Amino acid sequence: MDVLKLANVVKAAAREAGFDLCGISAAGEFRELEYFPRWIAEGRAGEMSYLAKRDDQGRLKRSSLAVAAPWARSVVVCAINYNSPQPYSTELTDRSRGWISRYAWTNTDYHEAVLRRLREVEAKLIAQASAQPKEIELRTWCYVDTGPVVERVFAQHSGVGWVGKNTCIINQGIGSWLFLGVILTSLDLVPDLPAPDRCGTCSACLDACPTNAFIAPYQLDATKCISYLTIEKRGEIPEELREGMGRNIFGCDICQDVCPWNREAPVGRAPEFAPREGLQAPSLKWMAEMTVDEFRETFRHSPVKRAKFSGLKRNTAIAMGNSGNLEFAGHLRKLAEDDDESVAEHARWALGELERRRHLGEDERTDMQKSAQK
Ligand code: B12
Ligand code: SF4
Ligand code: SF4
């Protein structure tokens, strides 16, 4: 079988399907994967129990492809740019608005959009491989997010980008606003070289994280990450993390917004990821007043639906408290009476936060008056 030809066919197919990047990695036991079991054992995955799934022998499925897909020899990694020309969260000054993460401004579930493209690549790979003499059984699996694969490790080893200190895959030319998709295959395709780490002495992401979610460079405690808290965590958000959440109501972009490799990031070409009117820095008032029917309608095809109606209300209550904007007191009083006890409790906390910030403001003004009188 001409494995070099197959690799070229795959890359051409990825381009035709609309991917910006495509690389091939061996299905190897890479050093970075050794960190995964430790991460799970330390409880960094929080309530994301699917990450800790084990096989019959008790081995973590995601710890190695030898566990999850022992037949796999290569991993085709495809990446697509979802960046848009809209501003970064770090530029948001309007206190009446919250922040939905960049990847969720669309009307499309990215899993579907990426998987559809991956299937096109897979079909061409299968067609080409089937036309050649077979030495082994041809098998393929396509995944976006949900498979038993730590995608970023294979993305690094396929040359698509390096794992940055913020744990995101960064491509030298495109930056990190990328969705990944992987095709596992039993074919021994010619691998690409891994992408070299270009973080250097920079630590902008580690310094900017408002909840101190990084344990160390390249290591994230998901249980402290705003993305986890606003999207995955149900019920109560630990009080000590609420202030750091600022006005992020779904996901968080901060450690990518500050990354120098995203300063000149090009805008993506995929029409599915074009931002939808109203979702960049949405009005918090709109979010607080939203009915369950409006939520279903607005986010029917959007990643935001994962937070669920009560989760989005809870997040909005926290953001309103953090805004220090006293105009939200009425909305928060109403949310404090919500049937959902979690929403109500976070709204009560937010009312206290508004009060605390009002006093802080008064104290500051008094201090200024005192110093002006001196
Ligand atoms: C669970 C999950 C989350 C969790 C945990 C994130 C995390 N960093 O672990 C939460 C909910 C917090 C999250 C947030 C986000 N996610 Co997410 N997430 C996943 C998912 C499903 C699994 C990731 C995982 O296994 N985490 C466990 C840790 C241990 O693995 P890892 O961070 O990937 O780390 C590996 C490397 O960092 C490596 N490593 C590399 N170099 C070094 C060096 C040293 C010294 C060490 C110790 C380790 C190390 O070790 C780890 C493997 O053992 C993947 C899809 C997938 N199947 O892989 C998407 C995925 C990683 N997420 C993605 C995205 C887009 C996001 C967000 C940007 C969304 C948002 N805006 O809110 C944020 C980014 C936050 C961040 N800084 O990571 C993309 C990443 C794209 C990219 N450019 O990297 C993925 C690949 C989904 C996709 N198919 O596109 N996510
Ligand atoms: S996504 Fe936000 S909370 Fe999570 S690590 Fe990055 S800056 Fe911190
Ligand atoms: S902000 Fe700096 S340290 Fe963090 S990922 Fe980007 S280049 Fe690396």
Side-chain angles (χ1 to χ4, degrees):
M1 197 170 281
D2 186 345
V3 283
L4 188 58
K5 186 169 175 203
L6 273 180
N8 290 334
V9 165
V10 164
K11 287 175 189 173
R15 270 194 304 277
E16 281 158 24
F19 284 111
D20 295 279
L21 302 160
C22 175
I24 293 166
S25 157
E29 300 285 320
F30 298 116
R31 187 184 48 86
E32 294 85 354
L33 287 170
E34 289 166 17
Y35 175 58
F36 184 77
R38 201 174 98 208
W39 190 79
I40 294 289
E42 287 171 353
R44 309 296 184 188
E47 292 170 14
M48 298 182 288
S49 52
Y50 68 95
L51 293 171
K53 278 199 182 137
R54 293 175 188 270
D55 71 357
D56 296 342
Q57 294 168 51
R59 299 175 299 178
L60 283 168
K61 285 194 179 167
R62 288 173 181 248
S63 61
S64 155
L65 286 181
V67 176
W71 48 268
R73 292 285 164 273
S74 314
V75 183
V76 178
V77 182
C78 297
I80 192 160
N81 177 358
Y82 65 84
N83 189 26
S84 73
Q86 312 303 328
Y88 283 3
S89 64
T90 39
E91 293 162 33
L92 180 68
T93 50
D94 184 343
R95 289 192 302 155
S96 70
R97 297 187 174 273
W99 192 260
I100 289 179
S101 196
R102 201 167 207 83
Y103 84 95
W105 293 349
T106 66
N107 229 347
T108 321
D109 186 327
Y110 75 87
H111 300 92
E112 288 165 25
V114 179
L115 195 60
R116 184 178 58 73
R117 289 179 165 82
L118 270 190
R119 296 258 184 245
E120 288 178 33
V121 181
E122 182 192 35
K124 288 186 180 158
L125 171 67
I126 291 173
Q128 184 67 32
S130 306
Q132 297 190 18
K134 278 190 243 353
E135 294 109 39
I136 45 154
E137 188 201 353
L138 173 60
R139 285 184 74 174
T140 52
W141 275 357
C142 292
Y143 291 121
V144 180
D145 230 7
T146 51
V149 188
V150 186
E151 292 170 358
R152 298 202 268 211
V153 172
F154 296 95
Q156 165 146 3
H157 286 273
S158 73
V160 157
W162 72 94
V163 177
K165 289 180 192 172
N166 62 5
T167 75
C168 291
I169 284 291
I170 309 172
N171 175 271
Q172 192 178 2
I174 301 187
S176 68
W177 306 115
L178 296 167
F179 291 130
L180 303 179
V182 294
I183 307 175
L184 311 186
T185 167
S186 56
L187 296 166
D188 255 318
L189 302 176
V190 177
D192 290 290
L193 289 172
D197 187 334
R198 295 181 192 277
C199 281
T201 56
C202 177
S203 62
C205 53
L206 310 177
D207 302 337
C209 176
T211 50
N212 290 319
F214 293 107
I215 308 154
Y218 312 99
Q219 298 182 45
L220 177 73
D221 182 350
T223 65
K224 289 188 179 169
C225 174
I226 297 166
S227 183
Y228 166 81
L229 296 171
T230 54
I231 303 173
E232 306 290 337
K233 175 91 179 71
R234 305 285 168 245
E236 197 196 331
I237 291 183
E239 221 171 296
E240 66 276 15
L241 296 174
R242 294 182 193 174
E243 190 180 348
M245 288 168 65
R247 279 173 283 140
N248 290 290
I249 59 168
F250 183 87
C252 171
D253 290 332
I254 295 170
C255 58
Q256 296 187 86
D257 282 349
V258 300
C259 179
W261 293 98
N262 281 340
R263 230 173 260 157
E264 315 244 311
V267 168
R269 296 169 293 143
E272 298 101 312
F273 305 138
R276 217 174 90 188
E277 192 65 39
L279 291 190
Q280 312 106 49
S283 143
L284 289 173
K285 182 170 170 293
W286 175 38
M287 292 293 140
E289 289 172 359
M290 192 172 264
T291 63
V292 70
D293 288 339
E294 196 185 353
F295 173 82
R296 284 202 196 108
E297 187 51 35
T298 310
F299 299 116
R300 187 187 301 271
H301 301 291
S302 150
V304 176
K305 66 177 177 296
R306 189 168 172 90
K308 306 232 174 349
F309 181 64
S310 62
L312 196 65
K313 289 273 170 185
R314 171 200 67 184
N315 301 343
T316 301
I318 294 177
M320 284 184 151
N322 286 333
S323 73
N325 187 343
L326 291 172
E327 284 169 22
F328 289 142
H331 286 92
L332 283 172
R333 275 195 286 273
K334 211 162 161 219
L335 286 175
E337 316 252 286
D338 202 279
D339 291 342
D340 186 311
E341 182 41 38
S342 162
V343 174
E345 188 277 318
H346 288 81
R348 288 195 292 275
W349 172 86
L351 279 167
E353 193 60 18
L354 280 189
E355 191 61 15
R356 188 179 74 84
R357 286 172 192 247
R358 189 169 68 87
H359 283 305
L360 271 180
E362 274 171 7
D363 289 350
E364 256 169 42
R365 279 195 294 277
T366 322
D367 286 349
M368 275 161 65
Q369 279 161 2
K370 275 187 199 154
S371 58
Q373 282 161 7
K374 272 185 195 162

